[in-house]
Amino acid sequence: MSVLLCLVVVTPAPARADNPIVQTSYTADPAPLVHNGRVYLYTGHDEDGSTYFTMRDWRVWSSADLVNWTDHDSPLSLTTFAWASADAWAGQAIYRDGRFYWYVPVKNRATGRMAIGVAVSQSPTGPFQDALGRPLLENGEIDPTVFIDDTGQAYLHWGNPNLWYVRLNADMTSFSGAPTQVPLTAAGFGARSGNPSRPTLYEEGPWVYKRNGVYYNVFAAECCSEFIAYSTAPGPTGPWTYRGTVMPRQGGSFTNHAGVIDFNGGSYFFYHNGALPGGGGYTRSVAVEKFSYHPDGTIPTMSMTTAGAPQVGTLNPFARQEAETIAWETGVETEPSSEGGMNVGWIENGDWIKVKGAAFGNGAASFTARVASATSGGRIELRLGGPDGTLVGTCTVPGTGGWQTWTTVTCPTAGATGTRDLYLRFAGGSGYLLNINWWQFATGGGPAELPLRRASTLGVS
């Protein structure tokens, strides 16, 4: 994200389909990480109604299929770093030797300059702790990206207006040698006209990675507004050769920020735009596209879509699913649950949650949900294909005496077969109706008894 006060007034198109991939809050600066068969997406968090880059924490989401994303709340914030005062901007996390290291830029309270901090956790979803109690490095610049080469050597690149790198030590919290400034040449990063202080297209937000022996640097180019460009090199520190545009200027945000991964045999490009209602340059949303490299390893130019990436596999509705696992929603929000993790709340009549590609097979006989209500409750209508689609069951939720006073309800279902998009549509009177923590279908006889304490569905602590 840019630190320049540029403002481009754009009227965003209405959001449709499955992009942006998160609709319950504004997200920015995506940093995807593949770990144990899931994609963990680390993002910034634009505050509602922001008129600047007002960002106080970071968020984590995860998915096994790239369409149904689970909200893991905020395991890292400015308060994690006692020495930080503001600006929880674009970072990236990486896994090494049983730990996850998250590199982020924040403003150092003592100096008033931007610095790079590093937080550590034993889980991809946190909580994260300040690894050092001080900045890892500080030169007033932002946007760290990290990768580990095949040799085991880790590199941290960062910078706006310049581009820098250091060689991280194996502990991932220290580095060898002094920071090295990368020469920004037209041959390496493309030529910019009309700005003598910024002669190349490089602006900020580098994303450095290696694929099939080629090193890539995908970056935000030429503010403002920005597009996404990239360069390649034979080594992790260059020399870089400019290759062209990945994503043109689009999408209702005057910044953009890329993250690129390979997952389950496909390649995916993450970015942000201003496509959600109220969205813009300071209220952004993360989206994703699937793409294929050209045979020579170059990246195609791609456009933003509302369709997003295709689903990888299916979702199992007979396993317990967190209610905050969502492909698309309207009206709801998420919050921390007293039973652990998150729950969906602020549910009113007509709101709904879409879960894409639920594999019902030969059919489901019942539906169970963990619910709470401080009012008189409401109903969960189970529909296929759309919020007004085929009704296959209705669960009545009673008042429980509190929004975090949980009970379990079960109702019969009929007609849920095959692989279908499932909609949980909420109905009832006026005002807020209910909260929902998790849900699960059963083929017959009801689901097995489940503990009240939320167990991890990810196989991690």
Side-chain angles (χ1 to χ4, degrees):
M1 49 145 290
S2 177
V3 296
L4 300 177
L5 287 176
C6 309
L7 180 59
V8 177
V9 179
V10 179
T11 300
R16 304 182 304 276
D18 298 322
N19 258 344
I21 59 179
V22 173
Q23 310 92 43
T24 52
S25 63
Y26 292 117
T27 55
D29 305 320
L33 169 68
V34 178
H35 180 73
N36 284 352
R38 292 185 75 86
V39 176
Y40 292 87
L41 180 63
Y42 300 82
T43 76
H45 175 207
D46 289 337
E47 296 291 332
D48 291 0
S50 289
T51 56
Y52 181 63
F53 300 112
T54 306
M55 307 172 77
R56 303 185 182 100
D57 59 9
W58 297 266
R59 303 293 300 267
V60 181
W61 323 82
S62 75
S63 178
D65 60 15
L66 291 171
V67 297
N68 297 301
W69 290 90
T70 302
D71 184 352
H72 299 288
D73 200 16
S74 172
L76 182 66
S77 71
L78 288 174
T79 60
T80 305
F81 303 100
W83 49 270
S85 61
D87 300 340
W89 289 352
Q92 186 182 350
I94 197 168
Y95 172 79
R96 185 167 199 169
D97 296 334
R99 292 189 173 189
F100 297 84
Y101 298 88
W102 198 347
Y103 302 86
V104 293
V106 292
K107 185 172 289 184
N108 186 341
R109 179 180 291 105
T111 65
R113 298 198 309 167
M114 294 302 294
I116 308 299
V118 56
V120 64
S121 175
Q122 293 184 327
S123 164
T125 59
F128 283 79
Q129 308 295 328
D130 186 354
L132 295 173
R134 56 175 172 78
L136 171 65
L137 51 88
E138 179 177 343
N139 66 357
E141 301 196 38
I142 60 174
D143 292 358
T145 180
V146 59
F147 85 103
I148 302 172
D149 206 350
D150 299 338
T151 62
Q153 177 64 59
Y155 294 85
L156 188 75
H157 291 72
W158 78 100
N160 175 341
N162 302 295
L163 178 60
W164 303 81
Y165 73 87
V166 292
R167 291 178 173 87
L168 293 172
N169 295 325
D171 62 9
M172 302 298 285
T173 59
S174 62
F175 55 89
S176 299
T180 299
Q181 188 172 348
V182 177
L184 293 178
T185 65
F189 295 92
R192 184 188 316 211
S193 61
N195 189 346
S197 66
R198 303 290 292 256
T200 76
L201 294 174
Y202 177 83
E203 184 74 25
E204 60 184 350
W207 182 272
V208 178
Y209 65 101
K210 183 180 184 182
R211 183 180 184 274
N212 292 343
V214 177
Y215 296 82
Y216 294 78
N217 187 338
V218 181
F219 57 90
E222 197 177 37
C223 185
C224 283
S225 62
E226 295 174 342
F227 66 98
I228 301 296
Y230 81 109
S231 303
T232 62
T237 62
W240 297 99
T241 299
Y242 182 64
R243 297 299 183 187
T245 298
V246 177
M247 179 170 280
R249 295 177 174 91
Q250 298 173 337
S253 168
F254 58 84
T255 66
N256 203 345
H257 190 106
V260 185
I261 57 168
D262 286 343
F263 176 68
N264 200 36
S267 298
Y268 298 88
F269 178 81
F270 290 77
Y271 59 95
H272 68 228
N273 58 28
L276 286 183
Y282 303 118
T283 45
R284 298 159 294 179
S285 296
V286 170
V288 63
E289 309 294 341
K290 186 177 183 181
F291 74 98
S292 296
Y293 291 85
H294 293 306
D296 63 358
T298 56
I299 302 174
T301 300
M302 64 190 86
S303 294
M304 301 180 185
T305 73
T306 57
Q311 187 170 11
V312 177
T314 57
L315 179 136
N316 180 7
F318 302 109
R320 196 180 84 171
Q321 299 292 337
E322 304 301 333
E324 65 274 13
T325 298
I326 297 170
W328 196 266
E329 57 78 24
T330 181
V332 308
E333 297 183 35
T334 60
E335 64 179 349
S337 169
S338 64
E339 295 190 329
M342 303 287 281
N343 65 255
V344 173
W346 290 275
I347 295 170
E348 297 179 275
N349 182 61
D351 291 348
W352 50 262
I353 293 171
K354 171 187 175 183
V355 178
K356 193 168 184 178
F360 290 102
N362 293 328
S366 66
F367 172 85
T368 296
R370 188 74 171 162
V371 294
S373 176
T375 59
S376 58
R379 301 184 305 280
I380 305 172
E381 298 177 352
L382 309 173
R383 295 181 177 270
L384 303 180
D388 297 313
T390 303
L391 182 66
V392 296
T394 301
C395 263
T396 298
V397 176
T400 65
W403 294 117
Q404 295 294 319
T405 303
W406 298 98
T407 191
T408 304
V409 296
T410 299
C411 55
T413 62
T417 60
T419 298
R420 303 290 301 276
D421 293 347
L422 169 68
Y423 288 74
L424 277 60
R425 188 179 188 276
F426 305 102
S430 61
Y432 297 128
L433 303 177
L434 59 100
N435 288 354
I436 179 169
N437 193 351
W438 51 259
W439 57 265
Q440 182 177 15
F441 284 85
T443 54
E449 186 68 24
L450 295 170
L452 296 185
R453 177 69 179 175
R454 174 177 303 209
S456 171
T457 61
L458 306 179
V460 296
S461 60

